[in-house]
Amino acid sequence: MNIYVLMKRTFDTEEKIAISGGQIKEDGAEFIINPYDEYAIEEAIQVRDAQGGEVTVISVGNEEAEKQLRTALAMGADKAVLINTEDDIENGDQFTTAKIIAEYLKDKEADLIIGGNVAIDGGSGQVGPRVAELIGIPYITTITNLEINGSTATVVRDVEGDSEVIETSLPLLVTAQQGLNEPRYPSLPGIMKAKKKPLEELELDDLDLEEDDVEAKTKTIEIFLPAQKEAGRVLEGELADQVKELVQLLHSEAKVV
Amino acid sequence: MARKVLVLGEVRDGSLRNVSFEAVAAAKTVAEGGEVVGVLLGQSVSGLGVELIQYGADRVVVVEDEKLARYTSDGYAQGLLAVIESEQPEGLVFGHTSLGKDLSPKIAAKLESGLISDATGVEEAGGNIVFTRPIYSGKAFEKKVITDGLVFATVRPNNIAPLEKDESRSGDVSSLSVEIKDLRSIIKEVVRKASEGVDLSEAKIIVSGGRGVKSADGFEPLKELANVLGAAVGASRGACDADYCDYSLQIGQTGKVVTPDLYIACGISGAIQHLAGMSNSKVIVAINKDPEANIFKVADYGIVGDLFEVVPMLTEEFKKLKVNA
């Protein structure tokens, strides 16, 4: 089984967010593997362990993503590929990223491609389905279970709380929803082994892509923080009176009930 | 610049979802005076066309086929791409729902177009259609424009106000015949878990429980309050991890992001993980025993007290309000 994982290095959004010069300040911030991509890595490893084969983790970004790729290798992935766009692309979007990944994958004969269903920084959830469409394979998003039997797959998809049981065939791209599995922590021997595992670095040139081929179709013109909320009112007095007051406030002042 | 804009109407349990009317309103802005055309895909859905028109669409195109009875990306893409081929729109708007999230990137990839996902606002500014959308789990926002080709966006439920329903509006509901070819994925079974309550992503009011509910049974008073208010029930990660409820209820950075008019947080401490999913709610009420709990920092109104005492009292008080209303 030839398995690929799409991984993004993301800003840990549990960090405080500040803006400087129109950009989110990244100095000193913690960067992590996008949490949904951790489920994808874990699932890829479990499928390989059950079915045999190889797991390759791909990331599009700059050289700093090497750290997160090494973590994926330490979890148990076999190979990593960094498509380094730092010198070629200043402002990419999901069109850009999907086109690059699809170009890389088009002759790889992947049986299974797994990504997270959304990245917690950009939050668009586009890249997985876009890649599947570009390379002409079916996809299922937000999955919570995956069973593979020969060339067929039975997948459970989370649909706003309901579950769909879907039968489809390989090659297939799926995106992970929370609950798919419990991602493992890298073990110490895993971390030692990861240092020797192959991590290939490519640029657009290596994929026969020109900057124009992947030029973004969208542009961010402003980034801003939400308006600071004024401190709320903690009610006082007898509990029964507080409850009465709250209902009145919601009805008359906030007008939401 | 006037544009022809297609809006995908989404049908659930035989009715159009609210987000579809919100998408029509967004499409009106994108159209800048051009035509807004509703699209309905499914099996016997043409009767719903008139409602899209009453909410602002100029006309509706319907594709009906038994293979479209349930959503699949392959089936819907074939139907929608046929409508796009025949209508040649300059804009496209979907709801940012499970369906919209799944389908929109496939359509964008097929058309080699940009796509702005999860927009919470849309306006015309300086000759551009500018979309606002949350980033970094709602801790920041960006304004974004399409620089090339189709103006394509999905809109987050509950954020863009629908136009007022006008029952005197009329328009053409036409059908387009499309041969839906083989689907690569087949839905074998649908397990309805969320059917008993109101859908979280579109709910106007959410009653949510955290570790403070202490057990699965502890959700009962919250459900009673939700019933009285016509609200959906949600939960924090803590409550889900402790197995008090299903993960489908989880609100937070992992889980659902919601923006109801009223969010009532019961026994929720207010970890950043949770705030990322609900802090943009219009009005937040916190009920917690711990006066130092973080949730009070984002709450508009707070009651320091035991939720098992406070929530039933609230339910009674809201019942009285409903009776008097």
Side-chain angles (χ1 to χ4, degrees), chain B residues 78-247:
Chain B
Q78 289 175 46
L80 191 63
L81 287 166
V83 179
I84 290 169
E85 176 67 32
S86 100
E87 294 287 339
Q88 299 289 321
E90 284 112 8
L92 204 49
V93 182
F94 299 179
H96 195 68
T97 57
S98 195
L99 187 160
K101 288 179 214 179
D102 193 72
L103 182 63
S104 57
K106 182 181 173 82
I107 301 293
K110 193 83 187 174
L111 301 174
E112 298 201 330
S113 80
L115 168 60
I116 294 175
S117 304
D118 201 16
T120 53
V122 55
E123 64 195 321
E124 193 278 323
N128 266 320
I129 298 298
V130 180
F131 294 92
T132 302
R133 62 185 299 276
I135 51 174
Y136 295 84
S137 303
K139 289 172 126 185
F141 286 85
E142 66 176 348
K143 290 196 171 188
K144 214 164 179 181
V145 296
I146 299 267
T147 49
D148 181 21
L150 192 71
V151 179
F152 189 2
T154 62
V155 296
R156 178 182 287 201
N158 264 352
N159 281 270
I160 293 163
L163 304 173
E164 206 162 315
K165 187 173 182 174
D166 176 357
E167 297 195 355
S168 69
R169 267 179 76 88
S170 63
D172 186 40
V173 180
S174 60
S175 108
L176 182 71
S177 160
V178 182
E179 191 202 341
I180 305 295
K181 299 194 192 73
D182 286 345
L183 309 177
R184 293 174 293 185
S185 305
I186 298 158
I187 298 171
K188 289 287 182 191
E189 192 190 345
V190 180
V191 184
R192 302 280 305 239
K193 293 191 225 166
S195 58
E196 55 188 77
V198 180
D199 177 48
L200 270 176
S201 61
E202 285 193 299
K204 295 285 178 202
I205 304 178
I206 293 174
V207 180
S208 197
R211 277 191 188 280
V213 301
K214 293 196 184 112
S215 70
D217 288 342
F219 266 99
E220 287 307 319
L222 276 59
K223 284 180 189 163
E224 281 167 35
L225 175 57
N227 266 338
V228 171
L229 292 172
V233 174
S236 72
R237 182 174 191 162
C240 297
D241 282 348
D243 241 352
Y244 302 162
C245 61
D246 195 82
Y247 275 111

Side-chain angles (χ1 to χ4, degrees), chain A residues 115-133:
Chain A
N117 83 78
V118 71
I120 59 172
D121 52 0
S124 81
Q126 292 182 23
V127 171
R130 273 183 183 265
V131 166
E133 178 61 31

Side-chain angles (χ1 to χ4, degrees), chain A residues 167-243:
Chain A
E167 206 169 272
T168 186
S169 57
L170 303 185
L172 173 70
L173 183 145
V174 292
T175 69
Q177 173 66 306
Q178 185 193 16
L180 177 61
N181 53 46
E182 196 62 50
R184 69 194 69 191
Y185 290 101
S187 66
L188 194 56
I191 292 167
M192 300 308 288
K193 268 194 227 159
K195 292 180 181 164
K196 294 191 184 122
K197 288 181 179 172
L199 193 161
E200 185 185 8
E201 193 175 323
L202 301 172
E203 292 190 16
L204 285 196
D205 261 1
D206 302 306
L207 299 172
D208 287 326
L209 281 173
E210 303 286 336
E211 286 155 55
D212 289 352
D213 300 331
V214 297
E215 193 181 332
K217 305 277 186 187
T218 59
K219 188 173 147 198
T220 297
I221 54 174
E222 188 187 339
I223 292 178
F224 61 98
L225 298 178
Q228 279 287 344
K229 261 191 131 157
E230 282 176 44
R233 265 174 69 185
V234 173
L235 306 181
E236 286 173 2
E238 290 291 324
L239 209 49
D241 295 335
Q242 287 188 37
V243 168

Side-chain angles (χ1 to χ4, degrees), chain B residues 46-69:
Chain B
S46 58
L48 299 169
V50 61
E51 206 179 359
L52 277 181
I53 292 167
Q54 289 171 345
Y55 274 98
D58 296 300
R59 60 188 172 88
V60 173
V61 178
V62 181
V63 179
E64 291 181 310
D65 190 298
E66 60 180 20
K67 285 184 180 154
L68 299 175

Side-chain angles (χ1 to χ4, degrees), chain A residues 13 15 121 141 163 165 253, chain B residues 102 136 139 188 191 253 301:
Chain A
T13 53
E15 296 251 347
D121 52 0
T141 56
S163 298
V165 181
E253 187 179 88
Chain B
D102 193 72
Y136 295 84
K139 289 172 126 185
K188 289 287 182 191
V191 184
Q253 178 172 297
Y301 306 110

